[in-house]
Amino acid sequence: MAVPKRAYLTAALVATLALALWSQQAEARQHRPPGAGKLLPGTPRSGVPRQHNAFFHREPKKIPVNGLAPVATESNLPARGTFGPLPEETVKKVAAVAGATAVASALGYAYVRRVLWRHLYGQYVRPDAPGIAESLGHVLYTKNDPARASLKSRTLLDMLSALFVPLLERCPWIRGLLKTNIRRIPIGEAIEEGSVTALYFHSNNVQKLLSEKGYRDFTSNLARIQEAMRASGRKFQVVYVNVDQKQVDAVDHFKDMPWYALPFDDKDRVSHLCQLYDITGIPSVVLLNADGSVINDRALYLMAHKPNNFPWRVGSPLELIPDTLVNGNNQPVPKASLEGKIVALYFGAGWTRASKEFSEKLQEFHRAVGEKTDGRFEVVYVSNDKNQAEFEKELYDHNGNWLAVPFEEADARLILQQYLKVPVMPAVVLLDPSGNVITADGRFYVEADRAANALPYASYLSKTGKQRVEDVAVNVDAFAHEPVVIVFADDVEADAQGGVESQLEEAAEQHAGHRKGRQLKFFISKATDKRSDAIRAICGVARTGQPQVVILDLLAQKVYHDPKLTVVDQGSILALVDDYYRGRLKTRSVKIPGS
């Protein structure tokens, strides 16, 4: 670890200031007239007699007959009260000592910093570390093995530690500092190639709150899942990511966990991971491969209700729908009836006024979209009703022509709601026949476009497979929910435009299978129109006659870009996404048109 540049700069700055200060004072003292007779700063301004002035004399002065205090000047000061000029050699020595002290302090700081880095982190860095180390770092916490500790010969220091450490740990601050029975290991010792790692984001304070409210904590379930996976020979491990502010909370929470943990003092990395995987709720589970690619970043409910579905990979939301649905008469309908149709997942509860009013609007929207798609449109009701009777009443009275997830399939309903991140109800998520999310803002279209004219619903029926790239001229709803990659190709020739779109599709396909962060959607601008011009203005992208690519995050009000990127192809787009995950891109604020 090299000495940081700021250490040298600090030393040079301190030395320069010290030299300038002492030189200025020495010059002023050398040119001061010895008998100028100027009033000193301490001279009294009034004629009030002063009985004692310790600055000039140690004994009280005698007051003159006229009652006026004598005026103190430099000429009548005692010899011990004057300050003579410092010799030039003394000034140089003082400046040299000050500069040397500053340099020594900076080098000492750099040395201590290097020693600490080596002790806490550097010694665990391995060149053959798995790819997941790019996200988690090279160090993990683990518990001390009791069997291994029993083989170690006990020394006098160990005996004293066993005697006094429990007493010291009664203080929370010391308990968080000591981290008894916790040691550091290289990440390669914990994570093997071909294994699955579950990042478990949790908090001691959140667990206490859940316990007070009577909720069951997921920690015990996850421990059973890990034990079952290892018993079956699967490579599976858990890494605890604590989001508490105090280390003592992390230590207290981790002491009963049978897995690894991210270092509690690395708050910057914890914050980065929460942003990288879009963690919006606690607890959360993110499943990763050994190379750091994401398997499932919304896995908690799926693991809780389907613990044997290792490795809990989800291709599309359609996979989470049960194999058997029910119709308005509560009769079973096979899931296969949804094939080749646009599906609207309706999350609602009949006991709320908002859902009752929205259901009537959704029926009208259902008929309008059905007419435009020749009946190839289905609404699937995902209930949040309190009991079976309310569920059947809502389904039969208002939604007789809809399908629904059976009320007894509570696990499936919870998994769908968590996987699609449905925050409030009522909500509608529209899916195309392949399970791609057309829009998560289906409620907006139901209320504002009941005639179904805003989106080309019929065109989605002809799309097959995973649609990784969207045209901004068709649908930009994803802009409001997640960061998006936008390629501007609306001012290039048609032949070049086709090549750019092909490269973007390949990049999007590879990203979907090997992404190392939150899911990004890919868009292309191919036509010059008002929407394209508005998006260009928001991103601050001028027309240059060449394709350009940026990452837009409207929620954060930021545009991420690489000024050095000149060629837009599959490699450069994936490199841009990778730099975005690592926080290496330049940023600028979004620009509001007309402001």
Side-chain angles (χ1 to χ4, degrees):
M1 177 182 174
V3 178
K5 294 182 179 179
R6 59 184 177 184
Y8 291 118
L9 294 176
T10 303
L13 180 61
V14 172
T16 303
L17 291 177
L19 180 61
L21 178 62
W22 283 100
S23 299
Q24 184 179 5
Q25 290 184 355
E27 184 179 359
R29 287 166 178 160
Q30 289 175 354
H31 293 83
R32 180 185 297 167
K38 296 176 64 177
L39 292 176
L40 294 178
T43 305
R45 296 184 179 181
S46 65
V48 180
R50 296 175 61 181
Q51 299 295 331
H52 180 68
N53 191 333
F55 182 79
F56 300 111
H57 297 279
R58 297 187 180 276
E59 298 179 358
K61 281 189 174 185
K62 295 182 180 180
I63 301 177
V65 179
N66 57 8
L68 297 177
V71 178
T73 64
E74 291 183 354
S75 58
N76 61 13
L77 280 175
R80 61 185 177 86
T82 59
F83 298 90
L86 292 176
E88 185 176 355
E89 293 296 329
T90 304
V91 174
K92 292 181 178 180
K93 290 180 180 179
V94 172
V97 170
T101 303
V103 172
S105 300
L107 293 177
Y109 161 77
Y111 176 76
V112 172
R113 185 170 178 265
R114 180 175 182 176
V115 170
L116 290 176
W117 180 88
R118 173 65 182 171
H119 174 70
L120 299 177
Y121 190 84
Q123 63 175 322
Y124 303 102
V125 176
R126 302 287 189 272
D128 57 345
I132 198 173
E134 295 182 4
S135 302
L136 304 186
H138 289 262
V139 183
L140 292 179
Y141 281 162
T142 187
K143 305 287 185 59
N144 288 329
D145 187 0
R148 180 180 177 183
S150 62
L151 297 177
K152 181 182 177 182
S153 59
R154 293 175 60 84
T155 62
L156 178 60
L157 181 60
D158 295 331
M159 297 179 184
L160 294 176
S161 299
L163 179 63
F164 290 105
V165 167
L167 299 176
L168 295 175
E169 286 187 337
R170 294 181 180 180
C171 174
W173 180 82
I174 296 179
R175 187 166 66 251
L177 181 65
L178 293 179
K179 302 181 183 66
T180 308
N181 296 327
I182 296 177
R183 61 187 177 92
R184 295 171 179 260
I185 60 171
I187 194 171
E189 293 184 9
I191 298 177
E192 305 177 34
E193 289 296 333
S195 64
V196 174
T197 301
L199 299 185
Y200 185 36
F201 293 82
H202 208 348
S203 161
N204 190 30
N205 293 317
V206 171
Q207 181 175 354
K208 291 178 181 178
L209 180 62
L210 293 176
S211 300
E212 292 174 359
K213 299 294 183 180
Y215 291 98
R216 184 178 57 186
D217 189 54
F218 182 66
T219 303
S220 57
N221 287 359
L222 187 57
R224 287 192 292 269
I225 291 173
Q226 177 179 258
E227 184 178 356
M229 292 300 105
R230 291 183 174 179
S232 62
R234 294 187 173 99
K235 297 179 180 179
F236 177 77
Q237 58 275 331
V238 179
V239 175
Y240 170 54
V241 183
N242 178 268
V243 297
D244 286 304
Q245 293 297 323
K246 298 180 180 179
Q247 290 195 45
V248 62
D249 292 327
V251 171
D252 292 343
H253 200 198
F254 181 61
K255 66 181 180 181
D256 298 325
M257 294 182 175
W259 42 63
Y260 305 101
L262 208 66
F264 305 140
D265 52 357
D266 198 351
K267 297 301 181 184
D268 292 340
R269 188 176 298 277
V270 172
S271 177
H272 172 69
L273 290 177
C274 290
Q275 182 178 5
L276 182 65
Y277 301 116
D278 192 26
I279 303 300
T280 57
I282 299 297
S284 291
V285 175
V286 177
L287 298 175
L288 305 176
N289 288 312
D291 62 354
S293 58
V294 178
I295 299 174
N296 188 349
D297 52 5
R298 309 169 193 176
L300 187 140
Y301 279 81
L302 187 60
M303 295 178 68
H305 299 289
K306 296 185 178 181
N308 297 321
N309 283 16
F310 181 86
W312 302 281
R313 191 185 304 274
V314 177
S316 76
L318 290 177
E319 298 178 7
L320 303 177
I321 298 177
D323 294 333
T324 301
L325 304 174
V326 294
N327 58 17
N329 296 319
N330 204 26
Q331 299 297 318
V333 176
K335 175 183 174 180
S337 62
L338 301 178
E339 292 181 2
K341 297 180 180 180
I342 297 175
V343 177
L345 295 177
Y346 170 38
F347 298 86
W351 53 272
T352 64
R353 177 182 297 180
S355 291
K356 284 184 176 295
E357 295 176 352
F358 182 78
S359 294
E360 298 177 359
K361 302 175 184 178
L362 184 56
Q363 291 185 55
E364 184 179 347
F365 180 79
H366 185 196
R367 289 191 294 268
V369 178
E371 293 175 358
K372 295 181 180 294
T373 58
D374 296 329
R376 298 167 64 184
F377 178 67
E378 288 286 356
V379 174
V380 177
Y381 180 48
V382 185
S383 165
N384 275 268
D385 294 302
K386 297 179 180 179
N387 51 55
Q388 179 76 26
E390 289 186 359
F391 166 75
E392 293 180 0
K393 185 176 186 304
E394 174 69 13
L395 186 62
Y396 179 79
D397 291 349
H398 302 284
N399 318 317
N401 56 346
W402 297 349
L403 301 178
V405 176
F407 184 78
E408 58 270 16
E409 293 280 0
D411 294 348
R413 293 187 281 117
L414 286 173
I415 291 171
L416 275 170
Q417 185 170 338
Q418 189 257 351
Y419 184 79
L420 293 172
K421 293 188 176 181
V422 176
V424 294
M425 290 175 292
V428 174
V429 179
L430 295 177
L431 307 176
D432 69 12
S434 298
N436 302 301
V437 177
I438 298 175
T439 176
D441 286 332
R443 179 179 178 179
F444 168 79
Y445 286 95
V446 171
E447 294 183 340
D449 183 41
R450 262 172 271 177
N453 295 320
L455 294 177
Y457 296 99
S459 66
Y460 288 103
L461 297 174
S462 60
K463 295 182 178 180
T464 58
K466 286 293 183 182
Q467 301 298 318
R468 307 296 186 187
V469 179
E470 289 276 357
D471 191 341
V472 297
V474 177
N475 185 5
V476 293
D477 288 339
F479 285 28
H481 298 279
E482 56 197 341
V484 294
V485 180
I486 308 175
V487 172
F488 294 95
D490 49 3
D491 58 346
V492 299
E493 297 180 357
D495 295 340
Q497 191 178 90
V500 171
E501 185 175 10
S502 176
Q503 292 290 315
L504 180 61
E505 290 176 350
E506 293 178 4
E509 185 70 25
Q510 186 169 347
H511 165 78
H514 300 87
R515 62 186 175 97
K516 295 189 176 181
R518 62 189 301 183
Q519 180 71 52
L520 300 180
K521 284 202 170 183
F522 292 73
F523 288 81
I524 186 170
S525 175
K526 298 189 292 185
T528 303
D529 53 17
K530 292 183 178 180
R531 177 178 288 183
S532 175
D533 292 340
I535 296 174
R536 275 186 177 272
I538 290 173
C539 297
V541 177
R543 297 186 181 276
T544 61
Q546 298 293 330
Q548 301 175 73
V549 57
V550 298
I551 296 178
L552 172 64
D553 189 349
L554 274 183
L555 294 178
Q557 297 286 294
K558 291 182 179 180
V559 178
Y560 300 85
H561 64 102
D562 183 1
K564 299 180 181 179
L565 193 150
T566 56
V567 178
V568 178
D569 56 14
Q570 177 185 353
S572 62
I573 295 172
L574 291 175
L576 183 79
V577 172
D578 187 59
D579 288 341
Y580 166 74
Y581 286 147
R582 299 183 181 185
R584 297 176 179 175
L585 295 179
K586 299 288 185 180
T587 62
R588 57 173 176 257
S589 300
V590 299
K591 299 180 180 179
I592 307 301
S595 61

